[in-house]
Structure formats: structure tokens, C-alpha cells
Amino acid sequence: MNFKRFKNKATCPELTDAPPLGMDADSLGDDFRSYYTYNLGRDRNCRLTHYAYEALALTVRDRLMERWKNTRYAYEESDCKRAYYLSLEFLMGRSLGNAVHNLGIEKEVADALHEVYLDMEELADIEPDAGLGNGGLGRLAACFLDSCATLQLPVMGYGIRYEYGMFRQHIKNGYQIEEPDHWLASSNCWELERPEYRQRIKFGGRSEFYNDASGKLRVRWVDTRDVLAMPYDVPIPGYRNETVNTLRLWKAVATEEFDLDEFNSGDYAGSVAAKNEAEKITMVLYPNDASENGKDLRLRQQYFLASASLQDVFERWAGVKGKHLKEFAEKNCFQLNDTHPSIAVAELMRLLLDRHGLEWKDAWDITQQTMAYTNHTLLPEALEKWPVRLFQTVLPRLLDIIYEINARFLSQVAQRWPGDQERQRRMSLIEEGPEPQVRMAYLAIVGSFSVNGVAELHSQLLREGLFRDFYELWPEKFNNKTNGVTQRRWLAYANPGLNQLISSKIGNGWVTELDQLSRLKPLAENPEFRDEWQRVKYNNKQRLAQLVKDECKVTFNPEALFDVQVKRIHEYKRQLLNVLHVIHLYDRIKRDDVADWTPRCVLIGGKAAPGYQMAKLIIKLISNVSIMVNNDPQVGDLLKVAFFPNYRVSAMEVIAPGADLSEQISTAGKEASGTGNMKFMLNGALTIGTLDGANIEIREEVGADNFFLFGLTAAEVEALRPHYDPSGIIAGNEDLQRVMNLLKHGHFNQFEAGIFDPLIAAIESPYDPWLTAADFASYVTAQQQVASAYRDRAGWTRMSILNTASGGKFSTDRTMREYNREIWRLPKIANGVDAELDRKFHPESILDAPVS
Ligand code: 26Q
């Protein structure tokens, strides 16, 4: 790539400002045909839907491009403060349907396609999911971006452009098989390469001290092995508001030095190997949703993202008009999505000290005023730690800085608690021991002005448990921001039937103001409305049943109760408890205890981390149980069980609308928030759940009568641990005893002796951290209440409506307004054609006025 610039003014409006593109069916159709014929070079002999998808995607993308440019201009011209969402994961899913929906051209596109005998759904289905995330944390980042664009907040996402996203899951003989997800194999029109903004990232080498021109002692990082960061921009359309924000994803590319080395040394193979080494950094997403400690490459990914993004922000910020660094903190804010990008704290210090020559105190003030940290886990074993030794070789200069931060921090601790050595040891950024480790969460807390959890209970448990010492020191830093989901994707787009029904009654204001859903509440008492609601749910269940038929080869009857648990497979999420209940139902059928039976279809889906043996065994158990249950003529339609393979964003778009019952059954105190629970609620599913994460707030909103509660509370869980006696519990509960006996007698593994022994042992262990046996009885009781409630169709439908109607709080629009009001404090920036109209009709901002 040649980076020579124009000699004259060729970037003036004459070059860059084209007349707006038509949004009508004719213009869209013309462009579609033009792309199909001239850009893609296809003709009437091509019958592949892929090219039609691509032509449509390019047509739609053009409409985003002009709005994107206008949004950038509006942000530049306003010179406003901006926030950056730093995340190792953005689980975007598909883009075409979302773009069409947010642009508001669904009908126009459908009409244009109709002219050429094509169907939008068929084309949208071609697009591979952008699976650049594991689960909740990654999807939350994607929902946040949608809400920020819709609220017209100047927020940019920064992430990694993994060549291979989340693995594809196959089930073979009941076992999970992982297959690489080469999602970029066919061209991706939803990204724009921006070589002009590439950055250089250092690795390895050593710190060197020197005196600068004024004689000041300074440090530089030398003898490094550098890698280039190439940005790819992804457009993030707001909802029908002319705003298109940016997600910038970095790809690692070898520097030209690699090519030169090759040229000069003649070691061709060696040079190619070095090039591969550099480009490996962004090759693959780590498929663990609990930290995988000590992996060199993962640390490189984290630093690569942090450094590229910070340098990029500096460049844009200083580029405008050589600003004074003191202003940096007033104009920039970084939100760290968990500790994964938290090395940014040390990297910002390095840039300010080594590159911009600031004094430590000034640099630290800026850092502490710009960084904000969000925690997403309560599991102590999931807190990230990196061996000091690894830091020393990969990021030596950053380790210097971390040591200095720690020394100054510990002297602050010593001042506050004189003589309390134990506390200093506890709070140190370095965990001492045979293999000293850097505690990334502590680095994030010390370097940030805000630390938040993602649901009320979670934030409380952070203050009282995990981060107690830090809360004592800095209570003002700690706050809660309950998660949400974007209703544009998860209700308006994914559930067109319900969208239409709701909007026909209360208008479509809820698409941008989700609280308006509460206006549905009186309609829950209206029998005609309930019938309409039920019809929509029934259609969605048919659609889901078809998907289950195609993917699992199991027939679900839409008349039955659809009982769904989809999420990552984890012991704390207790898919095992779900299976125990399924086995219990099967046992009841086998002993003919089926009076007043409610037919039930149980769907369980999710990926297990490839190295997580217990999680993989749970999948195998679900598969084996499903084979026994589904092929038993005595069971028939009373019970069906299916494991849904390769659970992903686009699958959830069909699953959530078709669910009756949402399983949120984690051990209390373990699920930080959950967000699937919110997607199900909005789509009218009822929740069976523990008092964990955001379930508590969901229950508060919908009312205890419309929520199936069971299980120990977080406090009861902790109180029980020391004298937990699962064997006693099993002996005292006939249902559970029978279930355990079926398992122990190998009823579900007749030709695979002993394979489920580890699961049996886990349930029976007095040290079972997840207390599965403890909650069994109350879970079964709650499930019995579910079954009876479902038999009263009018009553169930009433509760279903109330669930949707009470979901207003769980919009990421609300979450983003809170982040903005209490952490970022950004102005709303309208842009383009809309801006003037917007100011005229909405003089006051849709955001709450900043608190002074
Ligand atoms: C860390 C280091 C090395 C390798 C992997 C990781 C890693 C990757 C992903 C650790 C954790 C994750 C993902 C965590 C996650 O998804 N947490 C979920 O976040 C949601 C959004 O806040 C919550 O709703 C869920 O409760 C929480 O489990």
C-alpha cells in the first residue's frame, strides 16, 4: 500500500459528498441488479443464493456508508468527549437483517427482491454469524453498541478481528466435536479495511534508561519484535436516526521488516515462520468463558488490542489540533469489558510517560480519570492472573510500570492502615508465591475511577466479598449497572409477529423506549388480546419446532410446553439440575404417574469449553437421556428432549420467540447477571429461576406471582457449605433417590459403562460447589407449579403478556443511559439530514441531562 497524499485539495466536498442514495424499492432494486451483474459478475446461469445475498448486502452497505461518514463529521465538528468500549469479544451475529431493520427499509427491500423472485429471509440466512465472542460478555458488548448508536452517543467499540471465531459445535455419538469457524472464508462486506490508520505494537525486548535533551531521566522500550495492527471498521447503525457508529477490529500483520529480513538473509523459511508468528496473534478466539491462565498468546492478544486502540485514540485526538494532554481526560473515557483489556491501564501510563514525556503524577491522574472497569464474574477461579515471568519476557516495560503502580498504591494502603501487613499482601497487584502473578482485576480497580458489577446482587457481592478491601478504601468508585439487551434485535427484529401485535395496540414507541411496554399490562386481562398473543406464540413455536426438527431430528409438538435452557455449558449454570428433572419426569412416566400430565419439550443447547471435561460430559448425558426418552413408546408425546447443536446468536433469534419457559437455574451468587433471561422475558417466556444475578430484578419487575422461584439464596448457599450433606438429601428424597439410581445403574449408558461416574460423584460430593442436590426438591416443586400453570392457557398467556410488559428495564438503552449519566458523560450528537429536524422537535436531549 502506497501512503502518498494528494498534492491539491482533492478531498474537498466535490470528491467526497455524493447525493444521498434512494431508499425506495426501485433504487434498491437497481443497485441490487447492478452489484449482481457488474461488481459480482454473475448472470442468469448462477443459481447460488450466496451472490444474491452479497449483492443485497453491498446495496444496503452503501446506505450505511453515507450515514457513517456524516456521523464521523458530526463527531469531529462537535469536538465532543468520546467513550471507547474495549473488549476482547464482540458477538455481533448477522448484520444484514439488522441493518435493513435499523435503516427502516424492510418493506422496500422485500419489494425490490420480490421483483426478482427472491425472498429476504432466504438471503439473510446465508450470512455466517460473526461469532467473535464466547457468550454473555461478548453479546452484551454488541447490544451496547446498538444502543449507543440509537442514543446517538459518540461511543466506539475496539476489538480483535479473529480469523477464526467461536468454534462450530457438532454432536457425534452424543459428544461435542469442535470444528474451526473460518467465518472470513467467503468475503465479508460488513468491514472496511483502513490501512491508513494502522499502528505498530511492540513485544519483547527490554527497558533502557537514557537522558533526554533536557537531561531528564527517561525510559525507552528497545530491541522489540514489532507487529502491525491493521484496523477493520464495522458500521453500527442506530435505529432509524441517521447515526452509524464504528466498531474497529484489529488484525495482526507482520511489519515490512519481515519481508526485508527475508530478502537480505536468504532464510526464507525462517522469515515466513516469523511472519506467521506475528500474524498468529489475531488468528483465533479463545473459546473459554472462564479465564484460561498463563497462555502467552492470550496475553499478546490483550496487549495488542489495548495498545493499538490507545495509540489510535491518541492519534485521532492529537491529530485534530495538537491538543494539550491535560485535556485528554476531559475528552476521552475507556470502558474495560472485564479485565481482559485491563493492561490498557499500564499501556496508557507507558504512552504518557515514555512517548509524551509526562511526569508520573500527571500521567497517573489522566489514567485514573479515563479508565472505568466492568466486572462480569464472581467465580474467584475466573479472576485473571498472569505469571510475572511471562510479563517479563513479553511486556517488560509494562511490568516496570505495574511494579511502580503497585509500590505507590501499597504505600497508600500502608498510610490508610498503618502496620497492616496482611492487608498489603492481600491487596498487592502482585500475588506472591512460588510463581508470582499479576492480579489483573486489582490493576483495573486501582487504575480506574469507576468499578461496576452487572446486576444489583452481583455488585453487592463484589463490595462485600471479592473486592471488599478495595471497597473499604474507595467506596465512591463502586457502582452497579444492571445489564440489558437491545430490543431492536431481540424483539422487534427476531419476533416480527409479536412486534406487529404489540405495535398495533400501543404503537411502536417501545422500539426506542422499552418502558412503554408497560402499556400492555391492562391488555393481559383482555381475552381477545390473549388469543392473539397465543396465536403469535404458537406460530413462533412452529418455527422453533421446525428448527429443532432440522437440527436435532426430534419432533416437538407446538401444543406442548417449550422448556428451554440455552447458554454456555457450565457446572454453575446447572444444566445437570435440568437433566435430573428430565430424568425425574421420565421416571414418573415409567411408573405411570401421569395423571394431569402437561406434555413438555425440553430444549438444551450450548457450547462447552474444549478442555472442560465435566461440561462435555453433561452434554453427553443430555444426549443419552434424549435418546432414551424420545424413543420410548410409553413416553410418546408426554416428554421430548433435544440437545440443540452449535447454539449461536442467529439460533437464539428463533429460540427466544418460541420459548414458553426460560431456565435460569444457576447456584445463587454465581451468575453475575445473565442476559438470556432478559431475551426470553421480552419474548413472553416465563422464568423458572433462582435468586441470582438479574433474575432478582426480573422477578421484582414482573412480580412474584409471575415468576417460578426456587432454591437457596446466595446467603443460604454460603451458610450451607460447611455442613452440606448430599447423601442425606438423596436418602431423604425418594424422587431424587430414584433418579440417582437410574444414573448409577447405567440406565442411560447401557453400552458405555461408567461414563457418567464423574457426574454422579459430583452430585454426591459434600464439596459440590454448585449444591445441585440441595436445590433438587424445590426445583421439582417449582416445575410442578409450571406444569399446572401451563394447563390454564388463559392464565399462562396472561402471565406471558405481563412478562413482556414488565421487561422495560432490561433494555441496553437504559443501561447505556446509566453508564453515560454516571460514568462517561457524553453529549448526544445528532447528525446529517436529521439533525436540524431533531433539534426542532426534540429540543431537550433524549438522554438525561448530565448531573453536575
Ligand atoms: C479470560 C482469560 C483467558 C481466556 C478466556 C477468558 C474469558 C473469556 C470470556 C473469561 C470470561 C469470559 C466471558 C465471561 C462472560 O461471558 N461472563 C458473563 O457476562 C455476562 C454479561 O455481563 C453476564 O450476564 C453473565 O452472568 C456472565 O457469566
Side-chain angles (χ1 to χ4, degrees), residues 89 134-138 140 286 288-292 298 302 340 376 384 454 483 572-573 671-675:
E89 305 191 7
N134 274 285
L137 165 147
L140 184 76
Y286 274 86
N288 290 338
D289 65 343
S291 77
E292 178 167 307
R298 171 75 179 180
Q302 298 184 346
H340 315 158
H376 297 264
E384 270 193 297
V454 290
N483 283 167
Y572 84 79
K573 294 176 187 284
E671 187 71 272
S673 162
T675 46

Side-chain angles (χ1 to χ4, degrees), residues 42 48 191 413 469 589 659 722 758 772 808:
R42 303 294 132 173
L48 299 178
E191 64 178 15
V413 174
D469 290 325
I589 295 168
T772 304

Side-chain angles (χ1 to χ4, degrees), residues 482-487 491 502 510 513-521 533 677-685 697-703 799-815:
T482 298
N483 283 167
V485 301
T486 170
Q487 69 268 33
L491 183 54
I502 294 170
W510 59 271
E513 291 293 335
L514 197 61
D515 286 324
Q516 289 187 21
L517 285 180
S518 65
R519 289 157 57 186
L520 290 171
K521 282 180 189 168
W533 189 272
N677 46 6
M678 301 168 185
K679 293 162 199 164
F680 282 116
M681 178 196 205
L682 284 183
N683 283 283
E697 290 157 74
I698 286 177
R699 180 163 170 270
E700 259 163 34
E701 294 295 309
V702 72
M799 292 196 281
S800 167
I801 296 166
L802 289 177
N803 265 271
T804 302
S806 310
K809 175 173 176 184
F810 303 105
S811 167
T812 37
D813 297 348
R814 188 265 315 146
T815 312

Side-chain angles (χ1 to χ4, degrees), residues 285-335:
L285 166 79
Y286 274 86
N288 290 338
D289 65 343
S291 77
E292 178 167 307
N293 281 326
K295 288 284 189 309
D296 166 290
L297 187 62
R298 171 75 179 180
L299 181 62
R300 287 174 191 269
Q301 288 185 338
Q302 298 184 346
Y303 179 66
F304 178 80
L305 167 66
S307 182
S309 311
L310 287 177
Q311 292 189 62
D312 189 51
V313 169
F314 264 115
E315 199 167 285
R316 193 172 32 251
W317 179 76
V320 193
K321 40 180 179 208
K323 293 182 204 174
H324 200 280
L325 273 168
K326 286 231 157 70
E327 271 177 54
F328 187 81
E330 286 159 33
K331 289 293 173 71
N332 297 287
C333 185
F334 298 94
Q335 191 73 43

Side-chain angles (χ1 to χ4, degrees), residues 375-560:
N375 172 284
H376 297 264
T377 185
L378 279 159
L379 307 181
E381 66 270 26
L383 286 186
E384 270 193 297
K385 289 174 198 163
W386 291 106
V388 167
R389 221 165 20 88
L390 182 63
F391 250 98
Q392 185 65 257
T393 49
V394 179
L395 306 168
R397 178 64 187 127
L398 286 114
L399 185 61
D400 294 344
I401 291 171
I402 290 171
Y403 277 147
E404 181 69 24
I405 294 173
N406 195 36
R408 290 168 185 253
F409 166 64
L410 288 180
S411 86
Q412 224 182 317
V413 174
Q415 236 170 50
R416 167 76 195 268
W417 291 285
D420 193 343
Q421 299 285 323
E422 169 58 19
R423 197 183 285 258
Q424 286 190 42
R425 191 194 56 74
R426 281 204 310 264
M427 296 180 80
S428 174
L429 305 195
I430 309 295
E431 182 180 281
E432 297 300 345
E435 172 82 82
Q437 313 247 357
V438 183
R439 295 162 161 161
M440 299 309 277
Y442 294 3
L443 175 64
I445 297 173
V446 172
S448 301
F449 65 93
S450 165
V451 177
N452 76 280
V454 290
E456 290 289 350
L457 174 69
H458 171 226
S459 296
Q460 180 203 325
L461 294 173
L462 288 181
R463 292 191 303 262
E464 294 173 354
L466 223 44
F467 299 153
R468 187 189 182 122
D469 290 325
F470 292 87
Y471 177 63
E472 272 182 53
L473 183 60
W474 294 310
E476 68 286 351
K477 280 196 191 186
F478 286 76
N479 64 93
N480 174 61
K481 297 284 169 284
T482 298
N483 283 167
V485 301
T486 170
Q487 69 268 33
R488 265 81 59 190
R489 182 179 290 260
W490 295 113
L491 183 54
Y493 170 72
N495 198 339
L498 207 57
N499 176 350
Q500 217 184 12
L501 175 59
I502 294 170
S503 298
S504 73
K505 303 296 174 187
I506 65 168
N508 61 3
W510 59 271
V511 181
T512 48
E513 291 293 335
L514 197 61
D515 286 324
Q516 289 187 21
L517 285 180
S518 65
R519 289 157 57 186
L520 290 171
K521 282 180 189 168
L523 289 165
E525 314 306 327
N526 175 332
E528 286 89 60
F529 183 72
R530 284 202 295 253
D531 285 347
E532 291 179 83
W533 189 272
Q534 213 176 298
R535 261 199 298 282
V536 171
K537 180 57 86 177
Y538 190 87
N539 286 334
N540 289 332
K541 288 172 75 171
Q542 280 183 317
R543 186 162 65 128
L544 174 53
Q546 187 59 52
L547 184 67
V548 169
K549 173 105 248 179
D550 296 341
E551 300 286 322
C552 322
K553 318 290 171 219
V554 177
T555 306
F556 277 10
N557 180 350
E559 294 292 339

Side-chain angles (χ1 to χ4, degrees), residues 24-36 38 59 112:
D24 54 294
D26 287 343
S27 312
L28 291 163
D30 288 348
D31 287 4
F32 174 79
R33 280 184 290 268
S34 168
Y35 272 119
Y36 193 81
Y38 304 120
T59 303

